[in-house]
Amino acid sequence: MAPSDVQLLGSWASPFSIRVQMGLKLKSIEHEFIEENFLSNKSDLLLKANPIHKKVPVLIHSQKPICESLLIVEYIDEVWTDGPSILPSDPYERATARFWTTYIDQTWFPIMKELEKAANDEAKATVIGKVIECVVLLEAAFEKCSKGKSFFGGDNVGYIDIVLGSYLGWIKVTELVGGPNLLDGTRTPGLAGWAERFLSHNVVKDVVPEPNKLLEFYMMVKAARASSSA
């Protein structure tokens, strides 16, 4: 398939774009990556492809746009059946994987974002407690889903791996700006080992940005927002 048949509108720093890139790479799908400035100056192509949310990522396959990162990853798995499967074939395990990916995006990640908004040390400590509770639950999920193997998906990277793994760079940024060490080898040894294995996987290592590069981006965005609100 020619690269022009598959286009990904995304941002190098977006975990939601990163997970789609992982899915495409896992399936060895040639594609054209089109970098979008999602903070301003959104392209006409993006606005046309995603007129509802006007956000990345958007996968364009044979001129048909697919929006929302979880839906895109599932679409990739269903359309390109060659190569390793992303979602489990067992219906119960597939439902379980969908439950945890939804939990990660809709429960854990919003709580993580509260760290930046915490007004004082007391508020920050409260949020950190909530985040750690979530991570402990994810540790238990890893133990159950991995069945003692390397990844949530077992021997191979799977759906939960891709979704949680897309945040690993930003988890490190949280630590660099004074946040908690979430993947602590004592508190969450399973996740700590998983993160190391995941980041060294050939599907991942060229897709997840370096934490220092993400930190520079974070500080730039923070400064721009402060300037616009002044």
Side-chain angles (χ1 to χ4, degrees):
M1 180 173 290
S4 58
D5 290 337
V6 182
Q7 296 173 308
L8 175 60
L9 312 184
S11 165
W12 67 270
S14 165
F16 308 106
S17 297
I18 289 168
R19 64 181 54 159
V20 175
Q21 289 180 276
M22 290 179 189
L24 291 168
K25 192 171 180 181
L26 189 66
K27 294 283 190 174
S28 300
I29 302 167
E30 292 187 47
H31 64 282
E32 178 186 5
F33 182 81
I34 301 175
E35 180 72 29
E36 288 281 345
N37 184 342
F38 65 92
L39 298 175
S40 62
N41 301 321
K42 296 177 181 179
S43 72
D44 290 339
L45 181 59
L46 174 61
L47 297 177
K48 181 180 178 181
N50 190 358
I52 306 300
H53 299 300
K54 304 176 177 64
K55 293 180 179 179
V56 298
V58 179
L59 184 75
I60 302 176
H61 178 211
S62 298
Q63 301 183 343
K64 296 177 181 178
I66 303 96
C67 306
E68 299 297 318
S69 64
L70 294 183
L71 299 180
I72 296 171
V73 173
E74 292 198 24
Y75 177 88
I76 290 169
D77 197 38
E78 292 174 6
V79 172
W80 288 278
T81 54
D82 292 339
S85 296
I86 296 173
L87 275 82
S89 58
D90 178 80
Y92 175 76
E93 293 181 357
R94 189 163 59 247
T96 299
R98 285 175 170 147
F99 171 84
W100 284 112
T101 55
T102 301
Y103 176 83
I104 290 163
D105 275 2
Q106 297 186 11
T107 301
W108 171 79
F109 182 58
I111 295 174
M112 281 284 291
K113 291 173 70 176
E114 290 179 19
L115 278 173
E116 187 178 1
K117 302 174 184 177
N120 51 53
D121 290 343
E122 183 179 354
K124 186 176 180 180
T126 299
V127 176
I128 289 174
K130 292 179 181 179
V131 172
I132 290 174
E133 286 179 10
C134 292
V135 173
V136 169
L137 288 175
L138 290 170
E139 172 79 5
F142 174 74
E143 183 177 349
K144 180 179 179 181
C145 295
S146 68
K147 301 176 183 177
K149 297 181 179 179
S150 296
F151 302 102
F152 281 94
D155 289 321
N156 300 310
V157 167
Y159 196 30
I160 307 174
D161 298 288
I162 286 174
V163 173
L164 183 58
S166 66
Y167 290 111
L168 285 176
W170 285 107
I171 288 175
K172 187 62 178 179
V173 170
T174 300
E175 296 174 17
L176 292 173
V177 297
N181 179 4
L182 295 179
L183 303 184
D184 180 89
T186 301
R187 182 175 51 239
T188 55
L191 284 180
W194 162 81
E196 290 184 11
R197 291 188 296 273
F198 183 79
L199 288 173
S200 64
H201 195 282
N202 60 2
V203 167
V204 174
K205 57 188 177 182
D206 294 329
V207 177
V208 176
E210 290 293 328
N212 287 335
K213 185 178 179 182
L214 286 173
L215 179 60
E216 290 178 9
F217 177 77
Y218 167 78
M219 299 305 293
M220 180 190 71
V221 171
K222 188 175 181 179
R225 288 174 176 170
S227 177
S228 64
S229 62

